[in-house]
Amino acid sequence: MAAGIDDIALYIPNLYLEASDFAEARGLDPAKLQRGLGVEQMAIVDTNQDPACLAANACLNLMQKNKLSPEKIGRLYVATESAFDESKAMNSYVIGMLEQVYGNESFGHCGGIECKFACVSGSYALYDNTNWIRAGEAEGQNAIVVVSDIAKYDLGSSGEVTQGAGAIAMLLNDNPRLLAFDPKVTSTSIKNEYDFYRPFGKETPIVHGQYSNLLYLIQVKNALADYKEKILKTGLVTLKDDETILDHIDYLNMHLPYSNMGKKALAYLVRHEWRSLPRWKDIIAEIGMEEPVPKDPRGTIESVLADAEFMAKDHEFTKLFTKTEKYAEVYESKLASSLIASKMVGNLYTASLYLGFRSSLEFEYQKGVDLNGKRIGFGSYGSGASAMVFSGLVQSEYEEVVKDMNLEAEIGVRTKLTLEEYEELHENKRNTENNIHSAKKEFILTDVKTSPESRGERYYEYIE
Ligand code: HMG
């Protein structure tokens, strides 16, 4: 049975910080943000927004655009790493908000949980719900998977330039117009790591930035190796002697904590895949230098990062590699369009990969590419750490959905924050009512109880 993504809707907060203003305030070269990391603007939440209302707004957009009534939804999963309760799942808040519009208890039949594994949990939620459909349990109903996060780092930390916020809701069913997932290819890797984590009660994560970059690459490479074996076994793809699995993936969407991480990941995976192919000889000749190896090739991530000579040479090699004609063609055709939205919005943690997917569909379609039957690969990564690689085929009815995609219009008119406003919001110095953006046709947070018997209860309202 086919199963996959029928439609996709987003909600991005209207407030944003301009990377160049931010760079100036922190004494950074704006080129580091714009060219070095690929960050142009970062979406920031208002005082009356939290990850649950971002999620509910994305779900409402999805349901209204598809004229779906609650009885058509059998499962609603929320994947997030911005949870504010250790027990009560974010779905329950989202259902509560949706019932303000669709009627009390209108979702009473619907199941679902909140999923956590840093940025990769949305991919696990998609996989589990796809299997619910494949197993025939959906019986004509749809599942909604919503990924929602606020990426917030400490003021002045190196992660502060990679913030953002937003939610993406995906509609899954057995007759998807957008993408049908390839069966029996989903591959995972997992390892107990401390690259990025957020202990109980702490609002911002503890991050080992350079370690996390390299761990991401290694984990995705491991999952890709498994994916390769699986997809060859299914017979969906057969490889000739001089081919790699990446030659058979038309578009690759990577987890994007900042847009240039997608570039880093593609270059790393392509290098790894091409190294054993006849074409590598020509690449090395064009670059004019041998591929460097660390002093201890079997060493740890720490020992590789500490090998300054290797790191400098590897950086030089990567730069030259990405300038080769063959690689540049792969980058332009498979990845570039997926990075456009990330530059405008910033990091959405769980939602970053799916914002990239949406971006790729919208901007490839605008180029006039016929997407029917194209294979789309996904490289999902979550700190802590796990990666997931999977793929799907664009379906013949995709145009019905993609023709109306318009990122700028869907984000709406944006309000640029001053640095003072941003810092006040960041440090929670404004109360809920002291918001900046005037809400319209959306859910907002109106109250968080503080009395001992109801501490933490959250109340939301739909603003007409
Ligand atoms: P950093 O040390 O501030 O930056 O940290 P850098 O020195 O590595 O510079 C970044 C790039 O800018 C480099 O390019 C520089 O050369 C370049 P690259 O070597 O990568 O090609 N650069 C410049 N370019 C032009 N003009 C200039 C200039 N100066 C430098 N003047 C880091 C960067 C991403 C580590 C930091 O922002 C951070 O810690 N971020 C948070 C962690 C993170 O995003 N990690 C990503 C991988 S882990 C992951 O994705 C999981 C995550 O999403 C969490 C989850 O799963 O829940 C984070």
Side-chain angles (χ1 to χ4, degrees):
M1 182 189 285
I5 304 177
D6 184 72
D7 197 1
I8 183 164
L10 52 80
Y11 179 85
I12 307 292
N14 298 60
L15 306 183
Y16 75 97
L17 194 59
E18 190 69 50
S20 50
D21 295 350
F22 176 79
E24 195 188 326
R26 295 282 178 270
L28 297 169
D29 182 350
K32 173 175 174 176
L33 275 68
Q34 287 155 346
R35 280 195 286 115
L37 294 162
V39 176
E40 301 277 352
Q41 282 121 16
M42 295 183 263
I44 304 289
V45 280
D46 209 336
T47 55
N48 55 7
Q49 293 179 314
D50 70 4
C53 71
L54 304 183
N57 285 325
C59 283
L60 186 64
N61 288 343
L62 185 72
M63 289 185 65
Q64 287 180 334
K65 142 179 205 236
N66 287 283
K67 299 191 174 50
L68 285 168
S69 54
E71 65 268 20
K72 291 277 179 209
I73 311 298
R75 283 183 151 205
L76 196 155
Y77 270 51
V78 180
T80 185
E81 57 177 298
S82 313
F84 38 69
D85 193 288
E86 309 299 355
S87 172
K88 187 173 156 60
M90 202 176 286
N91 320 43
S92 55
Y93 302 86
V94 172
I95 296 285
M97 281 181 255
L98 292 174
E99 287 188 346
Q100 288 185 31
V101 174
Y102 291 101
N104 205 15
E105 296 186 22
S106 53
F107 280 85
H109 60 279
C110 183
I113 53 165
E114 176 188 308
C115 306
K116 175 169 73 183
F117 203 136
C119 298
V120 74
S121 62
S123 304
Y124 280 97
L126 272 185
Y127 182 56
D128 289 357
N129 280 283
T130 300
N131 287 333
W132 174 69
I133 294 163
R134 283 178 179 147
E137 300 266 343
E139 305 203 66
Q141 285 188 316
N142 300 269
I144 292 180
V145 170
V146 53
V147 276
S148 178
D149 269 308
I150 297 171
K152 181 169 180 175
Y153 291 86
D154 286 333
L155 285 186
S157 68
S158 68
E160 197 191 0
V161 296
T162 64
Q163 300 183 109
I168 306 262
M170 288 170 279
L171 186 70
L172 304 186
N173 60 37
D174 60 4
N175 192 16
R177 286 170 298 169
L178 266 187
L179 188 86
F181 288 120
D182 289 327
K184 299 190 175 179
V185 301
T186 299
S187 301
T188 51
S189 70
I190 196 159
K191 195 163 185 271
N192 179 26
E193 288 280 3
Y194 280 101
D195 57 325
F196 167 113
Y197 57 104
R198 186 165 69 87
F200 283 153
K202 196 170 181 312
E203 205 190 13
T204 50
I206 296 171
V207 192
H208 305 292
Q210 301 302 343
Y211 188 97
S212 72
N213 278 345
L214 187 51
L215 183 62
Y216 166 129
L217 300 177
I218 294 168
Q219 289 297 319
V220 175
K221 182 192 76 180
N222 292 347
L224 181 71
D226 201 28
Y227 169 86
K228 185 155 68 174
E229 269 185 34
K230 284 190 171 176
I231 198 161
L232 293 178
K233 210 161 129 196
T234 60
L236 290 172
V237 168
T238 44
L239 290 187
K240 296 194 196 106
D241 283 351
D242 62 346
E243 282 184 342
T244 128
I245 195 68
L246 298 177
D247 298 337
H248 292 263
I249 297 177
D250 300 295
Y251 293 100
L252 202 58
N253 295 302
M254 302 303 305
H255 167 50
L256 301 174
Y258 50 95
S259 79
N260 281 8
M261 188 68 214
K263 286 188 183 175
K264 258 188 206 297
L266 183 73
Y268 184 85
L269 297 176
V270 172
R271 260 173 78 177
H272 185 75
E273 285 294 314
W274 286 7
R275 206 174 276 145
S276 54
L277 297 181
R279 68 184 83 162
W280 194 239
K281 246 197 191 153
D282 298 339
I283 296 282
I284 293 294
E286 191 180 338
I287 293 175
M289 88 185 253
E290 283 302 320
E291 194 176 18
V293 279
K295 280 194 195 90
D296 179 4
R298 293 185 168 277
T300 59
I301 292 181
E302 285 94 341
S303 74
V304 171
L305 292 174
D307 187 344
E309 194 186 331
F310 164 74
M311 290 301 288
K313 278 203 176 130
D314 195 63
H315 193 256
E316 187 189 348
F317 184 90
T318 306
K319 287 268 172 260
L320 293 170
F321 174 64
T322 53
K323 290 197 174 100
T324 61
E325 207 179 312
K326 274 202 172 71
Y327 176 80
E329 199 257 314
V330 169
Y331 167 74
E332 267 315 311
S333 64
K334 293 186 198 288
L335 185 81
S337 292
S338 73
L339 308 182
I340 298 171
S342 169
K343 286 183 198 160
M344 291 164 63
V345 174
N347 192 358
L348 308 187
Y349 286 159
T350 50
S352 296
L353 174 63
Y354 299 101
L355 182 70
F357 168 52
R358 238 245 24 179
S359 179
S360 174
L361 291 173
E362 177 175 338
F363 296 108
E364 283 299 297
Y365 180 73
Q366 278 181 17
K367 277 193 211 162
V369 179
D370 179 6
L371 297 171
N372 187 16
K374 299 280 188 213
R375 174 158 280 118
I376 302 203
F378 295 83
S380 191
Y381 174 72
S383 287
S386 177
M388 186 185 271
V389 172
F390 53 100
S391 57
L393 290 184
V394 176
Q395 300 296 287
S396 56
E397 290 134 315
Y398 79 92
E399 214 171 337
E400 256 180 53
V401 180
V402 177
K403 69 176 174 21
D404 295 326
M405 287 182 174
N406 184 333
L407 186 65
E408 274 193 46
E410 284 167 60
I411 297 177
V413 180
R414 300 176 91 182
T415 304
K416 187 166 115 163
L417 293 172
T418 62
L419 200 84
E420 293 70 37
E421 286 169 328
Y422 155 69
E423 289 191 348
E424 273 177 25
L425 287 168
H426 189 286
E427 296 302 286
N428 306 319
K429 287 192 176 143
R430 287 171 169 249
N431 56 23
T432 316
E433 302 89 60
N434 200 1
N435 54 300
I436 295 170
H437 156 74
S438 309
K440 204 163 176 225
K441 299 214 171 303
E442 62 193 286
F443 297 105
I444 56 161
L445 174 70
T446 52
D447 194 17
V448 183
K449 295 283 179 214
T450 51
S451 64
E453 70 282 2
S454 54
R455 186 177 149 213
E457 283 187 15
R458 290 178 171 248
Y459 292 89
Y460 301 89
E461 205 180 303
Y462 183 70
I463 305 295
E464 280 296 345

